[in-house]
């Protein structure tokens, strides 16, 4: 029997609710439970489970791998918050803020190990291949984070470099999850390659949308606008703007967030005025569209017939969240 | 064909020399090569390989697991150096000192993932069990590190608590390595339990000896004396001394390292005078002896016959490095 996407999410939340850690040492394990129960959309495990079912696999069999990718994802957030000095995660104090850097570091390590402990429960015949996919995916995420940090000290980041970074930092976990789900279900190699590309394109669209919402999101929805701009962060909007700007405009884009004589609002307004002038919002929307369409088109080329891909299609639509 | 211990070390160094990482991003991968080529005695992989051979397994088959434990060990050092603010590792700048905390954090994560990538090459039939042993071992090491950090803020650490901490922080990696080696060679459950206890006792003796050398080592051998005393660190000597001291002596033990009116030499002399008075050196030597003897005695109870344990015996003697 196949499930709806919301049934799959429910099944996953049920499995996650069973997650147990030893009680002691408290500072090693309490942060794990704290960060795993902090909400989140469970996108990666849900994608993994949907993909497994689409290819005829079972949710039950794929569940240990789904747990592993979700724990891994939360581990990366935990360590990212140390590197970014981030005090808030999903509206709550980050582990870093609540317990300090050393606790966040070590409990993060324990989380990564815990992810692999769940992975170890994958059925023996597919375990070697699943471990390989998981390891490649995990390293790509680290690479993406490193490139992202490198960009902070880089005068110029090209659009291509930026896309390669987010392909690792954001897409890799989605594409890895989809490949693991397909592999566990015994999908054909050709289909696994396609599902990988589907999730890669979807992940890129997702990240670009996230970048755009930072500048053009709806404050009424509780989204604080302009955080990336104030941090001088490289985003798709920024690298596109730099790409299109005159030398004088580039200087403004590079330096506005550093100016002492402007309020936060003025800085945001200054940069957004340039974004508007350079039409980067439109360019970003277009790019999201292209990636999203490519992702959906790939689903139609799978050998399994289009009716089996309905849940994947719905997942994609919910993720990019609009129109169609 | 069975190998001598030094042949096994050579084979391991050969395999390690083949370790490759991508070139980019440089700050993610260069620290991995840097820390893996920084020397070290390769105790854990050598123990794993010796154990595998003792039970009739092959060095070649066990090599991926040996790589995994050595990479894991170096990963723990890398992250420990962040937590301890340690600038020097094996006589060279630590990754933390050379590249900073964020690079050490993230390249450490990549190292842990790399350890699992090597583990994934273990033969499929034993992979699930080996992953389980590896995961348990890895979590125990994290627990040990957390208890060690907890002890810094603890007024009183009992001898029992201290032993439980080092059983995790130091012994777990040795006992885990030995168990993995035995498991891969198809050893009987009873033998695996015994080899676990052998390596646990050996690890305890090793850690107590390390504690003792900090206060009673030979400066002529290049060992700097008193580092633990100056840091006010919990060691076997300190917890034993606290256990035996009068209230007045305990106050001295607790506070000497914090005093501004004493030079480093005077602090060390003050604490060592108390250690001498309380005969903790003798107590520590005795404990090392007991653990070491227990370890060797366990080898004689294995089902494989005593001549197959010669390399394990030699490994133990070299580790504790004396007399016998």
């Amino acid at each position: 029997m196949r499930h709806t996407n919301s049934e799959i999410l429910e099944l996953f939340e049920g499995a996650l609710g069973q997650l147990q850690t030893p009680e002691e040492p408290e500072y090693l394990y309490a942060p794990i439970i704290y960060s795993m129960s902090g909400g989140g959309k469970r996108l990666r495990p849900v994608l993994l489970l949907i993909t497994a079912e689409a290819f005829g696999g079972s949710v039950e069999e794929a569940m240990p791998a789904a747990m592993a990718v979700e724990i891994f994802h939360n581990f990366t957030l935990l360590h990212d918050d140390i590197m970014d000095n981030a005090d808030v995660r999903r509206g709550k104090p980050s582990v870093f803020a609540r317990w300090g850097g050393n606790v966040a570091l070590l409990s993060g390590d324990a989380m990564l190990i815990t992810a692999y402990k769940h992975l170890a429960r994958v059925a023996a015949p597919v375990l070697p291949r699943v471990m390989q996919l998981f390891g490649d995916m995990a390293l790509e995420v680290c690479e993406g984070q490193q490139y992202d940090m490198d960009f902070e000290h880089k005068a110029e980041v090209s659009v291509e470099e930026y896309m390669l970074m987010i392909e690792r930092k954001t897409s890799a976990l989605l594409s890895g999850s989809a490949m693991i789900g397909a592999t566990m279900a015994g999908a054909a190699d050709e289909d696994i390659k396609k599902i990988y590309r589907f999730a890669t394109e979807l992940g890129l669209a997702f990240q670009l949308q996230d970048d755009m919402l930072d500048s053009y999101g709806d404050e009424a929805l509780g989204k604080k606008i302009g955080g990336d701009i104030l941090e001088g962060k490289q985003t798709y909007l920024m690298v596109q703007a730099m790409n299109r700007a005159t030398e004088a405009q580039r200087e403004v884009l590079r330096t506005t967030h550093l100016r002492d004589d402007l309020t936060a609002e003025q800085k945001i307004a200054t940069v957004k005025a340039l974004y508007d002038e350079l039409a980067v919002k439109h360019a970003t929307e277009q790019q999201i569209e292209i990636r999203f369409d490519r992702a959906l088109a790939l689903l139609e080329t799978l050998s399994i017939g289009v009716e089996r891909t309905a849940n994947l299609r719905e997942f994609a639509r919910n993720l990019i969240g609009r129109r169609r």
Side-chain angles (χ1 to χ4, degrees), chain A:
Chain A
M1 192 205 72
R2 268 151 73 207
H3 300 87
T4 65
N5 288 1
S6 51
E7 283 168 350
I8 284 182
L9 174 59
E10 223 169 282
L11 288 168
F12 179 74
E13 291 288 0
L16 194 59
Q18 309 286 313
L19 180 70
Q20 287 193 331
T21 61
E23 304 239 317
E24 298 276 331
E26 186 192 344
Y27 291 147
L28 186 67
Y29 291 117
I32 298 182
I33 298 299
Y34 177 80
S35 54
M36 291 307 296
S37 54
K41 295 186 288 283
R42 317 302 186 194
L43 296 175
R44 296 140 195 95
V46 165
L47 176 59
L48 189 154
L49 296 170
I50 293 175
T51 310
E53 264 204 344
F55 286 99
S58 86
V59 166
E60 200 186 342
E61 264 196 27
M63 193 60 83
M67 288 287 288
V69 298
E70 182 64 9
I71 296 170
F72 177 80
H73 171 58
N74 283 273
F75 144 77
T76 65
L77 301 180
L78 216 159
H79 275 189
D80 283 1
D81 286 345
I82 305 173
M83 292 181 258
D84 301 341
N85 260 293
D87 288 336
V88 177
R89 170 65 63 187
R90 294 174 184 144
K92 294 196 306 181
S94 66
V95 170
F96 168 69
R98 181 163 164 181
W99 281 283
N102 281 359
V103 165
L105 171 54
L106 193 62
S107 63
D109 291 347
M111 251 170 117
L112 176 49
I113 295 161
T114 302
Y116 274 104
K117 281 182 85 88
H118 285 272
L119 204 65
R121 295 190 292 119
V122 161
V126 285
L127 180 58
R129 179 68 187 134
V130 168
M131 274 193 78
Q132 205 176 12
L133 290 170
F134 190 92
D136 290 344
M137 169 187 88
L139 275 185
E140 277 192 48
V141 174
C142 292
E143 290 176 4
Q145 170 69 3
Q146 184 62 55
Y147 281 124
D148 200 13
M149 294 196 300
D150 289 347
F151 287 176
E152 287 171 29
H153 313 286
K154 223 175 146 168
E156 200 98 328
V157 175
S158 72
V159 175
E160 289 70 28
E161 286 172 321
Y162 185 76
M163 295 305 285
L164 282 172
M165 184 278 281
I166 65 172
E167 189 169 326
R168 289 177 167 84
K169 186 164 172 166
T170 307
S171 282
L173 251 171
L174 287 164
S175 58
S177 296
M179 283 172 88
I180 290 170
T183 299
M184 292 192 71
D189 284 352
E190 208 44 49
D191 280 343
I192 294 176
K193 272 183 212 153
K194 285 172 181 168
I195 204 77
Y196 159 80
R197 286 175 50 211
F198 157 76
T200 301
E201 297 292 351
L202 193 62
L204 294 175
F206 178 57
Q207 182 60 54
L208 296 189
Q209 182 172 263
D210 198 61
D211 285 4
M212 200 170 68
L213 290 177
D214 183 76
S215 292
Y216 295 100
D218 191 346
E219 293 220 321
L221 294 176
K223 175 85 187 153
K224 193 94 193 87
I225 295 294
D228 291 346
I229 293 174
L230 295 176
E231 281 178 41
K233 214 169 158 349
Q234 300 291 355
T235 63
Y236 189 76
L237 304 170
M238 180 56 81
V239 298
Q240 269 295 358
M242 288 292 282
N243 192 37
R244 292 158 178 234
T246 65
E247 195 39 59
Q249 288 171 323
R250 292 156 79 103
E251 191 54 24
V252 175
L253 290 168
R254 264 195 291 264
T255 56
T256 298
H257 72 285
L258 300 168
R259 283 173 62 179
D260 292 332
D261 60 324
L262 296 182
T263 65
E265 285 68 30
Q266 288 171 322
K267 290 179 186 177
I268 295 169
T270 305
V271 171
K272 277 184 70 174
L274 270 178
Y275 283 177
D276 289 339
E277 207 177 319
L278 298 165
V280 298
K281 185 186 179 201
H282 177 69
T284 309
E285 283 173 335
Q286 217 171 23
Q287 192 63 218
I288 294 169
E289 202 91 353
I290 291 170
R291 302 292 177 171
F292 183 75
D293 290 344
R294 263 192 222 163
L296 287 192
L298 277 156
L299 289 183
E300 291 176 26
T301 67
L302 293 174
S303 74
I304 49 174
V306 111
E307 75 287 352
R308 292 199 71 95
T309 63
N311 284 354
L312 286 166
R313 205 173 308 276
E314 190 197 324
F315 176 86
R317 289 213 179 92
N318 280 335
L319 189 63
I320 304 304
R322 300 122 344 116
R323 310 180 271 274
R324 282 156 272 234

